[in-house]
């Protein structure tokens, strides 16, 4: 008599509005889809994104994938001192992948404080309903230049424990995809980087210091990060200057008490795959390509919905 068949694993994490549950494959059972923000149909674009992720995972380990909101800008032909959004200059009418480098465009990741504070408040409301897990972190990153323009070493200090190093990471930029989003106020840059633990450098110079006050809203395998940042990148930054910023931030717990001179203030909004091992697990699955396609589709949809949420103050996360 043949052995009894194993019970199929059922995905019960979809919203109650779903009309039916779905049987998961062995690969999909390692991933839980949690549509916190609401999702639109961008399946065609997500196929390109899935290929992008698959390629980066094969090239390097410890891959971090994140989507930042911002604006894709280029110079106006007749007024070189003024920037204009890419879709206005190129006549792009719908959401599109573009080659920013080829057309001479740049990505500006800073968003307006109004959108920043609006979305922060709405996500707090959503967290109060138990749909996400809130996490607050305040830290200072000392960034050290390496011999490669594509990499740097980041020494992170948690200001709650200013005398200890939280982590030391060598971050190497792998590649990025730029999404022109003409129907919203914000475009997207989806980037992949390799993050490898290392030792604190002894003979490298600090090229910049980033002081960050971050609120994270974690749902499933993803996280929406809302971050206020002061960046200091002037020539001749010393360890003593960086340590002074750490002491001030530790004591005051607020960015407004930091020195304003030579500081660049920014408000950043990003979506990231917070489960660092998820992509590697997916890659090692028998149906790995299928699972990465599903993760990519969910991620791209959430990122694009985030641009809508930040563009329209009346929008709120789906109930």
């Amino acid at each position: 008599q043949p052995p009894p068949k194993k019970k199929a694993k059922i995905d019960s994490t979809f919203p109650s509005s779903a009309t039916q549950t779905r049987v998961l494959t062995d690969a999909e059972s390692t991933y839980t889809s949690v549509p916190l923000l609401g999702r639109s149909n961008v399946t065609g674009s997500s196929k390109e994104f899935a290929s992008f992720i698959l390629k980066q995972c094969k090239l390097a380990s410890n891959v971090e994938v994140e989507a930042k909101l911002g604006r894709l800008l280029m110079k106006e032909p007749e007024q070189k001192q003024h920037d204009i959004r890419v879709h206005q200059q190129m006549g792009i009418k719908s959401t599109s992948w573009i080659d920013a480098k080829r057309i001479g465009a740049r990505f500006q990741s800073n968003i307006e404080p109004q959108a920043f504070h609006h979305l922060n408040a709405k996500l707090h409301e959503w967290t109060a309903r138990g749909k996400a897990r809130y996490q607050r972190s305040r830290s200072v990153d000392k960034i050290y230049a390496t011999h490669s323009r594509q990499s740097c070493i980041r020494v992170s200090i948690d200001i709650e424990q200013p005398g200890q190093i939280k982590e030391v990471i060598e971050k190497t930029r792998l590649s990025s995809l730029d999404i022109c989003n003409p129907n919203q106020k914000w475009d997207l840059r989806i980037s992949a980087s390799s993050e490898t633990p290392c030792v604190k450098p002894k003979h490298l110079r600090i090229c910049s210091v980033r002081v960050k006050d971050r609120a994270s809203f974690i749902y499933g395998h993803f996280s929406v990060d809302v971050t206020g940042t002061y960046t200091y990148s002037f020539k001749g930054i010393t360890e003593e200057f960086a340590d002074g910023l750490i002491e001030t931030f530790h004591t005051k717990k607020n960015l407004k008490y930091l020195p304003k001179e030579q500081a660049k203030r920014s408000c950043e909004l990003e979506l990231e795959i917070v489960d660092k091992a998820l992509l590697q697990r997916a890659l090692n699955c028998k149906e790995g390509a299928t699972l990465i396609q599903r993760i990519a589709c969910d991620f791209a949809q959430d990122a694009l919905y985030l641009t809508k949420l930040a563009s329209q103050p009346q929008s709120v996360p789906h109930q």
Side-chain angles (χ1 to χ4, degrees), residues 52-61 63 279-280 283 292:
F52 168 77
I53 290 182
L54 190 59
K55 179 180 179 180
Q56 306 311 316
C57 289
K58 289 181 177 180
L59 289 175
S61 58
V63 173
L279 294 175
Q280 198 60 45
L283 192 64
I292 286 181

Side-chain angles (χ1 to χ4, degrees), residues 19-34:
T19 57
Q20 59 183 351
T21 56
R22 191 164 60 81
V23 178
L24 297 179
T25 66
D26 288 341
E28 289 180 311
S29 67
T30 68
Y31 170 68
T32 302
S33 179
V34 182

Side-chain angles (χ1 to χ4, degrees), residues 16-281:
S16 57
S17 59
T19 57
Q20 59 183 351
T21 56
R22 191 164 60 81
V23 178
L24 297 179
T25 66
D26 288 341
E28 289 180 311
S29 67
T30 68
Y31 170 68
T32 302
S33 179
V34 182
L36 170 68
L37 297 173
R39 289 173 177 158
S40 55
N41 184 15
V42 291
T43 305
S45 297
S46 69
K47 289 181 180 179
E48 296 180 42
F49 178 42
S51 299
F52 168 77
I53 290 182
L54 190 59
K55 179 180 179 180
Q56 306 311 316
C57 289
K58 289 181 177 180
L59 289 175
S61 58
N62 303 315
V63 173
E64 178 194 61
V65 176
E66 63 183 20
K68 280 193 174 184
L69 273 69
R71 288 193 172 105
L72 286 161
L73 302 171
M74 57 194 310
K75 297 294 183 182
E76 288 191 77
E78 297 180 2
Q79 296 182 351
K80 297 294 184 179
Q81 69 272 26
H82 293 109
D83 288 325
I84 187 172
R85 285 184 68 187
V86 166
H87 75 272
Q88 295 171 312
Q89 176 63 30
M90 305 295 291
I92 298 172
K93 302 299 183 182
S94 60
T95 301
S96 309
W97 304 100
I98 67 164
D99 187 336
K101 185 176 181 180
R102 183 178 179 182
I103 64 173
R106 63 184 179 87
F107 185 78
Q108 183 184 74
S109 60
N110 191 25
I111 68 169
E112 296 165 357
Q114 182 180 2
F116 178 87
H117 294 301
H118 162 74
L119 190 57
N120 186 37
K122 292 302 180 183
L123 287 169
H124 271 292
E125 292 176 12
W126 187 250
T127 302
R129 300 188 185 107
K131 301 299 183 181
R133 177 167 58 89
Y134 171 72
Q135 183 174 295
R136 179 76 173 272
S137 64
R138 298 182 181 93
S139 62
V140 176
D141 292 342
K142 299 178 183 180
I143 311 298
Y144 295 83
T146 66
H147 300 296
S148 170
R149 294 183 61 183
Q150 299 301 315
S151 66
C152 65
I153 293 178
R154 183 183 71 222
V155 177
S156 299
I157 310 294
D158 186 334
I159 66 157
E160 298 302 327
Q161 297 178 307
Q164 300 179 25
I165 294 176
K166 180 182 178 181
E167 64 178 5
V168 183
I169 296 291
E170 181 173 5
K171 182 171 184 174
T172 302
R173 294 190 299 272
L174 299 176
S175 189
S176 61
L177 289 173
D178 291 311
I179 304 175
C180 183
N181 198 22
N183 296 318
Q184 305 298 343
K185 291 182 179 179
W186 308 104
D187 302 308
L188 280 173
R189 168 166 285 179
I190 298 176
S191 58
S193 303
S194 174
E195 295 196 344
T196 306
C198 64
V199 297
K200 182 181 177 181
K202 294 182 178 180
H203 306 294
L204 298 179
R205 65 175 180 85
I206 297 178
C207 60
S208 65
V209 180
R210 285 169 55 86
V211 186
K212 302 184 296 187
D213 191 345
R214 170 173 290 175
S216 297
F217 302 87
I218 303 165
Y219 64 104
H221 301 275
F222 302 159
S223 174
V224 180
D225 294 336
V226 184
T227 311
T229 304
Y230 270 36
T231 301
Y232 301 85
S233 55
F234 57 88
K235 186 177 180 180
I237 294 179
T238 63
E239 292 282 351
E240 291 73 21
F241 176 81
D243 291 342
L245 295 176
I246 294 170
E247 178 61 28
T248 300
F249 201 26
H250 169 67
T251 304
K252 300 295 186 179
K253 304 290 193 299
N254 196 309
L255 293 172
K256 70 180 183 180
Y257 294 104
L258 295 172
K260 306 297 188 298
E261 299 80 10
Q262 298 177 298
K264 179 184 177 182
R265 175 70 195 272
S266 62
C267 301
E268 298 179 355
L269 182 60
E270 63 188 24
L271 178 72
E272 70 170 314
I273 300 177
V274 72
D275 181 353
K276 303 300 184 184
L278 174 63
L279 294 175
Q280 198 60 45
R281 291 201 309 270

